Amino acid sequence: MVHQTISASTTSASNASSKISPMKLTLLRLVMTALIVGTLAACSTAPAPSPARPGAIPVPSTPGDTAMPGDTGPLPPAMVQPKSRWVPVRWAELPGFADDALHEAWNAWIKGCERPAPAFAPLCSEVRQLSIASADEQRAWMVRRLQPYRVEAVDGNAEGLLTSYYEPMIDAARQPGNGYTVPVYGLPAGHGARKPWFTRQQIDTLPEAQAALQGRAIAWLRDPVESMVLHIQGSGRLQITEADGRITTARVAYAGTNDQPYQSVGRWLLDQGATRDATWPGIRAWLAQNPQRTNELLWSNPRYVFFREEPLSPLDAQFGPRGAQGVPLTPGRSIAVDRQSIPYGTPVWLASRGPQVSMQRLVMAQDTGSAIVGAVRADYFAGWGAEAGELAGRLKQGLRLWALWPR
């Protein structure tokens, strides 16, 4: 799954609670009430917050004699990745490690074992056996089998940026008409023969682009802004009205792009001086006041995403789309990373705190995104639907990461 995020300029940050369980909408609603008005996830990495800045995550003190049982041996040397440096630490440095509901992350870990990274493949049989173990047993196993490393930039900066993404749920129709006018296209004929392909504006206006897309529409949407959201997130669930009147649910997953550069429509509005609010509500409000400029806004982003339809069984519906690792994403426990900093399939300890709430939990590096670049950078998969969209649209705050690597 490849997704982008919208850049915004407001400075207030919103947050996700360590008690969030994205599989439980009731708890997610509670989190939403705690969120302050903030920006959509940034398309480019923002300056890393200083530890003295409100909401930044404090640098842990040296654990010394507080090391956890079983974590008293000599530390290994640091590890170097193409875009990051991993510094070995004691488990006691990981904030909240004793309190996380690890069984929620175990589902994501078991999914990751369907296509494990080579370093983790030998552990997968033990991971599966521990799926019914207690949290204390899971924690003790992690301390025994894994070494935590603090992820830093090559200059030693351990502070980064956390944003979020989700899977939108959108009403659609199999045939155009009755207000359904915006196509969701599969790959065009001859895709890949010409790079880059037509821009978004050319796809909407040029006869040769339209000819290549003839008969390639998977479904049709009502709202061009919902189409924009689908393109940015890279995947979605469609409630499709079929030609015979039946309602079916399907997933549309990322299949490719036109290889044009991504440009944030939120940033375009800010640069135009058209708004100070580049959140989705702000964008919708601007469009309601300027409907004649809808195409101008949409065409400011030349990138266009093509999709493929996938069936959505009851089991599939409990997970998100497949991430870049090739396994289904788990709400609240999968993150997108820069793979040159953290390899796919790596368990990661994530700590992020904003002005009001915090998140300290085990997650799995299972996806990527074109805007997810940097050593300490993560995009948190919030799930699907409106509440997940609210979280994904507002979460932008400081971040610290620890990679958990086999001993």
Side-chain angles (χ1 to χ4, degrees):
M1 178 177 181
V2 177
H3 55 95
Q4 299 89 27
T5 51
I6 283 188
S7 175
S9 68
T10 52
T11 57
S12 55
S14 55
N15 317 282
S17 169
S18 60
K19 303 301 183 183
I20 292 174
S21 177
M23 298 296 288
K24 301 177 181 178
L25 294 181
T26 299
L27 292 182
L28 192 51
R29 292 190 184 99
L30 293 177
V31 173
M32 291 303 102
T33 64
L35 292 171
I36 64 172
V37 175
T39 64
L40 287 179
C43 178
S44 58
T45 302
S50 161
R53 175 179 167 185
I57 303 161
V59 177
S61 59
T62 302
D65 295 335
T66 65
M68 298 184 65
D71 186 28
T72 56
L75 292 175
M79 296 174 63
V80 178
Q81 304 292 335
K83 282 190 179 179
S84 64
R85 180 171 179 264
W86 293 8
V87 179
V89 299
R90 299 295 183 190
W91 280 94
E93 178 175 303
L94 278 57
F97 178 63
D99 303 319
D100 188 29
L102 293 177
H103 68 276
E104 297 176 4
W106 233 257
N107 292 329
W109 203 335
I110 290 171
K111 283 292 181 183
C113 281
E114 294 175 7
R115 296 189 65 177
F120 290 94
L123 298 181
C124 280
S125 62
E126 298 174 42
V127 170
R128 294 186 181 99
Q129 291 171 10
L130 285 163
S131 63
I132 59 174
S134 69
D136 287 342
E137 290 170 327
Q138 291 170 338
R139 251 183 291 275
W141 177 85
M142 291 175 66
V143 171
R144 186 172 68 255
R145 298 290 270 144
L146 302 174
Q147 169 63 49
Y149 293 82
R150 185 173 61 249
V151 180
E152 299 179 351
V154 292
D155 63 1
N157 186 8
E159 296 282 343
L161 176 67
L162 178 68
T163 54
S164 181
Y165 65 116
Y166 79 115
E167 192 176 26
M169 298 182 68
I170 306 172
D171 289 335
R174 192 64 74 180
Q175 301 296 329
N178 297 320
Y180 292 94
T181 60
V182 183
V184 177
Y185 282 125
L187 288 171
H191 180 263
R194 165 182 172 166
K195 290 188 176 182
W197 210 62
F198 298 104
T199 66
R200 179 179 295 271
Q201 181 175 359
Q202 291 169 336
I203 287 170
D204 288 344
T205 59
L206 289 184
E208 53 265 47
Q210 290 290 307
L213 290 165
Q214 185 68 34
R216 303 284 174 152
I218 296 170
W220 301 77
L221 311 181
R222 287 194 183 99
D223 185 353
V225 178
E226 288 186 333
S227 174
M228 187 195 317
V229 172
L230 182 62
H231 282 229
I232 289 171
Q233 299 303 321
S235 174
R237 301 184 184 201
L238 302 184
Q239 301 278 355
I240 303 176
T241 302
E242 302 287 352
D244 60 5
R246 292 180 300 113
I247 305 294
T248 61
T249 302
R251 169 175 283 141
V252 284
Y254 172 92
T257 75
N258 58 351
D259 293 305
Q260 295 284 349
Y262 172 78
Q263 301 293 334
S264 165
V265 295
R267 172 52 56 191
W268 181 83
L269 281 174
L270 293 170
D271 291 344
Q272 295 279 315
T275 183
R276 293 183 178 180
D277 181 6
T279 64
W280 280 118
I283 293 171
R284 289 183 182 277
W286 183 86
L287 283 171
Q289 296 173 354
N290 301 275
Q292 75 283 359
R293 299 187 68 184
T294 297
N295 282 339
E296 186 181 356
L297 174 73
L298 298 177
W299 293 344
S300 70
N301 176 24
R303 174 168 290 185
Y304 199 96
V305 176
F306 304 107
F307 298 89
R308 65 177 182 273
E309 183 175 351
E310 297 180 349
L312 198 63
S313 70
L315 178 60
D316 293 334
Q318 300 303 310
F319 293 90
R322 290 183 181 274
Q325 187 187 353
V327 301
L329 304 176
T330 301
R333 297 293 176 165
S334 295
I335 59 172
V337 296
D338 186 333
R339 66 180 304 182
Q340 291 189 298
S341 175
I342 301 175
Y344 297 150
T346 303
V348 175
W349 192 260
L350 178 153
S352 180
R353 187 172 73 186
Q356 297 182 15
V357 293
S358 65
M359 191 187 322
Q360 300 173 158
R361 56 175 50 196
L362 177 63
V363 294
M364 298 295 296
Q366 295 178 324
D367 202 6
T368 194
S370 61
I372 313 307
V373 178
V376 188
R377 181 71 173 94
D379 215 18
Y380 173 85
F381 180 62
W384 45 86
E387 285 96 343
E390 282 291 314
L391 175 60
R394 298 180 186 276
L395 183 61
K396 181 184 178 184
Q397 59 190 48
L399 172 69
R400 291 174 71 88
L401 297 173
W402 290 260
L404 312 180
W405 201 252
R407 290 186 185 274

